[in-house]
Amino acid sequence: MIKAFNKHYRKSIDLIENASGSEKIEMAEKVLDWFRQLPEEYVVALALFFNEVIDDLGDDSLEKISLRLKRKQEKFEEEEDEDELEDEEDEEDDDDKEDY
């Protein structure tokens, strides 16, 4: 199964590398539409499969898909961190405007 995956993976990489910018965007949109149509169980099964493939390939450059559920507290903290970063960026922009 891994050999078949590697064969198709190589074909897809070649296809993407030889495509123009607009063709790449079109392919990405088709893939996203396809994922949206899949039942959730299939998407999770695909994620688990890709994680196994990454393990088998031993490729440290590939990031595994995290299927761990976030707790409400962690999610809340992440949103707070994002809000703080946005506030800091806004303050920096205001400081830059005052310099002119």
Side-chain angles (χ1 to χ4, degrees):
M1 186 174 221
I2 300 298
K3 287 181 182 179
F5 175 82
N6 285 340
K7 177 183 170 187
H8 292 292
Y9 175 77
R10 185 72 252 156
K11 282 183 181 179
S12 64
I13 294 297
D14 291 342
L15 183 68
I16 292 169
E17 286 177 346
N18 295 329
S20 68
S22 60
E23 290 172 332
K24 289 178 186 178
I25 291 171
E26 188 178 326
M27 277 188 256
E29 289 171 350
K30 287 180 183 179
V31 169
L32 287 174
D33 288 341
W34 180 74
F35 274 116
R36 286 187 191 107
Q37 293 172 7
L38 287 176
E40 292 172 0
E41 298 85 15
Y42 286 29
V43 176
V44 171
L46 278 171
L48 291 170
F49 172 72
F50 288 132
N51 282 348
E52 284 186 37
V53 169
I54 290 169
D55 282 343
D56 289 347
L57 292 174
D59 190 343
D60 294 334
S61 68
L62 297 173
E63 187 175 328
K64 291 175 76 172
I65 300 167
S66 174
L67 296 174
R68 187 177 71 96
L69 296 176
K70 291 184 181 181
R71 290 188 221 128
K72 288 182 181 180
Q73 182 64 28
E74 288 177 352
K75 195 172 187 179
F76 179 74
E77 288 173 1
E78 273 187 15
E79 289 174 359
E80 280 184 345
D81 291 343
E82 289 175 5
D83 290 342
E84 287 175 12
L85 285 174
E86 288 176 7
D87 291 342
E88 288 175 9
E89 289 174 358
D90 290 342
E91 288 175 10
E92 288 175 5
D93 289 344
D94 292 341
D95 289 344
D96 290 343
K97 289 178 184 175
E98 290 175 5
D99 291 341
Y100 292 109

